Amino acid sequence: LNQLPKFNPVKTIPDMVALKRQYDLPDGTSTLPGIDVFVTTADPIDEPILYTMNCVLSILASDYPVDRCACYLSDDSGALIQYEALVETAKFATLWVPFCRKHCIEPRAPESYFELEAPLYTGSAPEDFKNDHSSVHREYDEFKEHLDSISSAISKRSDAYNSMKTEEGDAKATWMANGTQWPGSWIDTTEIHRKGHHVVLGHSIRGHNLGSQASTNNLNFASTDVRLPMLVYISRGKNPSYDHNKKAGALNAQLRASALLSNAQFIINFDCDHYINNSQALRAAMCFMLDQRQGDSTAFVQFPQRFDNVDPSDRYGNHNRVFFDGTMLALNGLQGPSYLGTGCMFRRIALYGIDPPEWRHDNIVVDDKRFGSSIPFLESVSKAINQERSTIPPPISETLVAEMERVVSASHDKATGWGKGVGYIYDIATEDIVTGFRIHGQGWRSMYCTMERDAFCGIAPINLTERLHQIVRWSGGSLEMFFSLNNPLIGGRRIQALQRVSYLNMTVYPVTSLFILLYALSPVMWLIPDEVYIQRPFTKYVVFLLVIILMIHVIGWLEIKWAGVTWLDYWRNEQFFMIGSTSAYPAAVLHMVVNLLTKKGIHFRVTSKQTAADTNDKFADLYDMRWVPMLIPTTVVLIANVGAIGVAMGKTIVYMGAWTIAQKTHAALGLLFNVWIMVLLYPFALAIMGRWAKRPVILLVLLPVAFTIVCLASRRSRMQSLSYK
Ligand SMILES: O=c1ccn([C@@H]2O[C@H](COP(=O)(O)OP(=O)(O)O[C@H]3O[C@H](CO)[C@@H](O)[C@H](O)[C@H]3O)[C@@H](O)[C@H]2O)c(=O)[nH]1
Ligand SMILES: [Mn+2]
């Protein structure tokens, strides 16, 4: 299943020069289509505000015509702190964005940019650079201080207002800087939010039109465009009586809100822990969308996920290169890669569930049963289908804001097509794969876009527990999809055969773990007294096994050569598959069984990007594992294999004279198996060593000690049983 979809691998490269030639006019204007950029955040603690704001800054500074690009931040925490941080960010952007444009800065996320040692200068004003750089750096440090102070400022301000106005009731109100009450009803949002308490946000949208003249500080931006794209803050009105459908719900709310404002033909969405690393990325995706051959039937362009906080040796296989650079790219020759959740550009109408041009009927019904009851929204859908777009968003009036509040609220989804055939799909732990599947199922294709300088970059959990939680969610979501109407065997009318195989593989792979787990546990047979079972008459079987394993690795080798990934990536992938197969995948299978029996879904928890307190060590998280039940099977496998080696040594000493040559070779093969498992589980062994893993040599001492202890124990018991006989 894994190999078949790689039958027709095709690499594609965006041609940026051709795009420029065709769409950028000599007078500096452009005819490129509009893009609405969505960022989702859900928790100001687990998803640090600084990252989110860096993401926003990188979007605002991206190289795309300002009047054709808008940025929407969806804040599911509804926290005033996020809103005020966004206002600060908008202010800082008036300096940062022109600075990036003038000096051709890369990347355009300040936190990552200022970390660079000596960035290469490619701009056209080198004489100003030193001065500009240091003053922007200074301003950025000040901006960060502002972000840090927001929290205490809000609580001080709110305390002051609340003590003044206690007679009016709510002593726990949160107050904005302009003396109005924040519609969220808490100061420290996260505490209550985490307990799952949902608050109805009344006045949830505020527009800041930043297209005006920027404050230019003392820098010379005379020949630089200082305009900024539109920036919008959205927090959905939530109500305990409706399911707010997490990330997919947030994205759909953004989809509707943006339809009323900019209604761009294209959408791109980012998790708040990702940023644009290559300012040309939006243009690159556009190359595929506007391509004269297949552009019109391309629904989405997915970029690989890249991470810049991963430890140099990538202990937990976070880079996932084999998947991103091999498996996904290979699908390009079929119907295209699947949607991976972040860094993906969509055609708006494809998300609306409209058919691709070759299957489209002339009279598409745009009704409230499918899209909800907002008249302005329904009009925007018809416009989108006819590819009309208002470049100038309507003026922000009371009625517009009221209408937007209505369409962003979770209740607007109720009894409509939203989350089923319209927008991002609901009721599953991994909305991404299913959303892509639905779109492919209508006959659309997708493209994979890789760039020399990585387009986007994000944060990966380098803590084993978090990493495995993420894997449980992905594999659990896959299984949920298998047991739903979106099962690749029955769903998706217009999916091509091999593409279907690929989706099938993506949904059933966690089940293979059960066999792997059993297999990895088989050495416990060694612990059974006397006869060594694993050594028995498997010769022919072993030959078959070796041939198959060899073939898998030869194919793997060809694949990584083609995809341009390294042996280390390949090896980490193998190791992590073993670790996952003995922990996260069985856990997901178990979840699924429980789910099928009790109808309870997998609990969606935002992956924590918060790092451990140790600020001296960038990779402190590596050594900070939390014990969770799913780690038990992996530990048992590790112990079984360490034990088996010890017992084998003990037996060898006792039976040395009595064993035949054949018995000895079998015992040696058994040992090979154990060592192989241990090598695969090496990253896990490091993880359970915690801080000691900073000196992995300790393992070289610990392991022989463990072997010797087991060896002596088994020798003794065997000698005793021999003497009884
Ligand atoms: O109620 C919610 C919950 C989450 N999110 C956002 O959803 C995104 C993804 O959540 P995260 O916990 O970071 O998931 P990861 O495990 O890091 O995400 C990977 O896996 C997910 C499920 O497959 C995909 O959606 C993601 O894009 C992909 O990066 C984040 O931006 C969150 O802010 C919301 O907006 N509202
Ligand atoms: Mn993420």
Side-chain angles (χ1 to χ4, degrees):
L1 292 186
N2 195 21
Q3 292 307 328
L4 270 179
K6 294 171 187 159
F7 202 66
N8 182 25
V10 174
K11 272 188 193 170
T12 40
I13 301 167
D15 185 347
M16 316 288 269
V17 180
L19 188 82
K20 214 171 177 54
R21 197 173 345 117
Q22 212 155 355
Y23 291 91
D24 288 354
L25 307 177
D27 66 351
T29 58
S30 165
T31 55
L32 280 170
I35 304 180
D36 287 338
V37 187
F38 298 166
V39 181
T40 47
T41 181
D43 187 326
I45 304 289
D46 271 345
E47 304 180 319
I49 292 183
L50 185 63
Y51 299 158
T52 310
M53 297 307 146
N54 263 273
C55 171
V56 170
L57 285 168
S58 74
I59 293 165
L60 296 180
S62 172
D63 180 12
Y64 206 80
V66 274
D67 53 341
R68 281 146 201 280
C69 178
C71 175
Y72 295 83
L73 174 71
S74 149
D75 170 20
D76 262 354
S77 67
L80 179 54
I81 187 169
Q82 301 265 27
Y83 172 74
E84 294 201 350
L86 196 68
V87 174
E88 283 298 326
T89 303
K91 277 189 218 148
F92 177 66
T94 59
L95 186 65
W96 173 250
V97 174
F99 168 70
C100 290
R101 288 194 189 126
K102 180 174 172 188
H103 297 293
C104 301
I105 296 303
E106 293 289 355
R108 299 189 175 182
E111 191 66 16
S112 317
Y113 173 69
F114 289 122
E115 256 175 24
L116 298 179
E117 292 286 309
L120 193 70
Y121 190 81
T122 53
S124 53
E127 64 285 354
D128 291 350
F129 181 62
K130 230 177 147 189
N131 175 36
D132 290 4
H133 182 278
S134 58
S135 64
V136 172
H137 198 168
R138 211 177 324 110
E139 291 282 334
Y140 180 61
D141 287 338
E142 217 167 277
F143 163 70
K144 286 209 279 190
E145 276 167 31
H146 283 179
L147 289 191
D148 284 340
S149 65
I150 293 177
S151 167
S152 63
I154 294 176
S155 73
K156 250 189 242 145
R157 180 201 308 146
S158 298
D159 284 347
Y161 275 115
N162 289 336
S163 62
M164 258 159 38
K165 309 200 176 179
T166 32
E167 64 276 13
E168 279 169 38
D170 196 357
K172 279 217 162 61
T174 307
W175 293 84
M176 299 176 67
N178 63 6
T180 53
Q181 201 173 320
W182 178 249
S185 65
W186 60 84
I187 296 171
D188 186 1
T189 58
T190 49
E191 276 315 302
I192 304 171
H193 184 67
R194 279 188 174 158
K195 287 180 203 138
H197 181 102
H198 299 128
V199 175
V200 186
L201 289 187
H203 200 79
S204 48
I205 303 160
R206 281 144 221 278
H208 262 253
N209 218 332
L210 292 164
S212 56
Q213 184 68 26
S215 87
T216 47
N217 209 291
N218 58 349
L219 308 187
N220 176 14
F221 290 141
S223 51
T224 315
D225 187 355
V226 295
R227 292 171 306 155
L228 296 181
M230 179 164 68
L231 177 60
V232 182
Y233 172 89
I234 296 174
S235 188
R236 294 187 280 160
K238 288 183 194 157
N239 185 313
S241 58
Y242 300 115
D243 188 353
H244 68 269
N245 291 306
K246 296 146 197 151
K247 178 180 175 181
L251 285 169
N252 284 341
Q254 279 175 309
L255 207 50
R256 296 191 293 261
S258 64
L260 299 192
L261 276 180
S262 40
N263 202 20
Q265 204 183 330
F266 297 98
I267 309 286
I268 186 161
N269 81 283
F270 295 106
D271 290 356
C272 56
D273 51 357
H274 286 247
Y275 63 85
I276 302 186
N277 182 54
N278 181 337
S279 62
Q280 300 296 311
L282 300 184
R283 287 173 175 267
M286 223 33 113
C287 287
F288 294 106
M289 289 295 193
L290 301 176
D291 185 76
Q292 266 150 23
R293 286 151 299 181
Q294 294 193 303
D296 280 343
S297 29
T298 302
F300 58 94
V301 178
Q302 175 68 56
F303 289 80
Q305 290 188 22
R306 296 284 193 252
F307 308 98
D308 60 2
N309 68 322
V310 175
D311 51 304
S313 75
D314 189 17
R315 198 204 270 177
Y316 302 135
N318 277 298
H319 283 309
N320 240 330
R321 293 272 173 150
V322 175
F323 175 76
F324 286 126
D325 294 16
T327 316
M328 281 297 117
L329 187 57
L331 290 175
N332 242 350
L334 307 174
Q335 229 170 320
S338 41
Y339 164 47
L340 302 173
T342 175
C344 184
M345 182 180 285
F346 286 94
R347 193 174 286 276
R348 186 181 276 270
I349 53 170
L351 273 177
Y352 285 165
I354 309 291
D355 283 329
E358 58 267 43
W359 301 98
R360 200 175 301 162
H361 299 295
D362 282 338
N363 42 359
I364 305 166
V365 225
V366 181
D367 60 1
D368 52 347
K369 265 208 223 71
R370 196 165 162 200
F371 293 102
S373 59
S374 161
I375 305 289
F377 180 77
L378 292 176
E379 282 167 6
S380 83
V381 175
S382 306
K383 274 191 194 159
I385 293 171
N386 301 318
Q387 310 223 323
E388 288 169 39
R389 178 200 179 249
S390 46
T391 353
I392 309 144
I396 311 239
S397 63
E398 285 282 315
T399 36
L400 179 67
V401 172
E403 190 63 23
M404 283 180 74
E405 274 178 27
R406 217 162 75 75
V407 298
V408 295
S409 76
S411 57
H412 195 77
D413 284 352
K414 223 183 162 198
T416 64
W418 286 100
K420 295 180 209 91
V422 181
Y424 298 82
I425 306 297
Y426 294 158
D427 297 324
I428 183 149
T430 49
E431 77 299 331
D432 40 9
I433 303 288
V434 196
T435 304
F437 178 77
R438 290 300 292 238
I439 293 176
H440 280 144
Q442 284 186 291
W444 291 94
R445 66 160 299 133
S446 60
M447 292 300 256
Y448 204 53
C449 181
T450 46
M451 301 177 79
E452 184 108 21
R453 182 188 165 82
D454 291 329
F456 312 121
C457 214
I459 308 246
I462 58 166
N463 168 290
L464 183 68
T465 316
E466 284 299 333
R467 171 91 171 100
L468 287 176
H469 271 305
Q470 200 177 38
I471 294 188
V472 172
R473 192 161 107 220
W474 290 337
S475 44
S478 297
L479 289 174
E480 278 182 47
M481 178 168 159
F482 186 82
F483 289 101
S484 75
L485 289 178
N486 292 312
N487 176 310
L489 291 174
I490 54 170
R493 286 175 290 158
R494 301 187 190 124
I495 289 201
Q496 291 171 14
L498 285 181
Q499 187 82 19
R500 205 178 275 284
V501 174
S502 147
Y503 273 111
L504 187 63
N505 181 42
M506 266 186 262
T507 50
V508 297
Y509 73 93
V511 177
T512 56
S513 69
L514 296 183
F515 304 100
I516 295 179
L517 180 60
L518 274 182
Y519 200 60
L521 277 175
S522 59
V524 286
M525 286 192 272
W526 281 77
L527 309 181
I528 299 168
D530 272 296
E531 254 328 292
V532 184
Y533 296 95
I534 194 99
Q535 68 180 4
R536 281 287 133 195
F538 292 130
T539 328
K540 216 184 238 163
Y541 169 74
V542 168
V543 171
F544 275 121
L545 198 67
L546 283 181
V547 170
I548 289 177
I549 290 179
L550 200 73
M551 268 165 58
I552 290 178
H553 288 284
V554 168
I555 294 172
W557 176 71
L558 287 175
E559 215 177 289
I560 66 170
K561 285 288 149 212
W562 174 72
V565 308
T566 64
W567 273 109
L568 181 70
D569 293 318
Y570 181 70
W571 178 236
R572 287 292 185 241
N573 192 54
E574 295 291 301
Q575 284 181 317
F576 220 76
F577 192 68
M578 185 51 125
I579 297 176
S581 295
T582 52
S583 56
Y585 300 148
V589 173
L590 195 70
H591 267 295
M592 194 63 229
V593 173
V594 173
N595 177 316
L596 287 177
L597 296 177
T598 65
K599 291 271 159 272
K600 280 207 183 102
I602 287 176
H603 177 58
F604 183 117
R605 205 175 127 266
V606 173
T607 313
S608 177
K609 281 94 194 176
Q610 217 200 353
T611 40
D614 189 348
T615 41
N616 295 326
D617 186 354
K618 202 174 158 209
F619 305 118
D621 264 8
L622 272 182
Y623 312 107
D624 200 40
M625 188 189 75
R626 252 181 326 111
W627 277 97
V628 285
M630 72 170 144
L631 296 175
I632 294 172
T634 322
T635 318
V636 173
V637 167
L638 194 63
I639 292 174
N641 283 278
V642 170
I645 293 179
V647 172
M649 283 163 41
K651 284 185 182 175
T652 314
I653 296 170
V654 178
Y655 300 120
M656 204 48 189
W659 271 354
T660 63
I661 298 282
Q663 271 176 319
K664 282 178 194 162
T665 30
H666 286 311
L669 280 177
L671 278 186
L672 201 66
F673 177 90
N674 301 133
V675 172
W676 182 240
I677 302 268
M678 281 173 46
V679 172
L680 284 171
L681 291 185
Y682 176 67
F684 180 79
L686 288 183
I688 54 180
M689 279 170 68
R691 255 153 232 289
W692 287 11
K694 287 187 182 168
R695 285 184 203 79
V697 266
I698 296 180
L699 265 189
L700 292 184
V701 182
L702 278 182
L703 281 177
V705 171
F707 296 154
T708 317
I709 294 173
V710 182
C711 166
L712 291 179
S714 93
R715 200 185 82 110
R716 248 192 89 180
S717 69
R718 247 157 261 278
M719 295 301 263
Q720 272 168 1
S721 69
L722 276 187
S723 61
Y724 283 138
K725 283 176 194 165

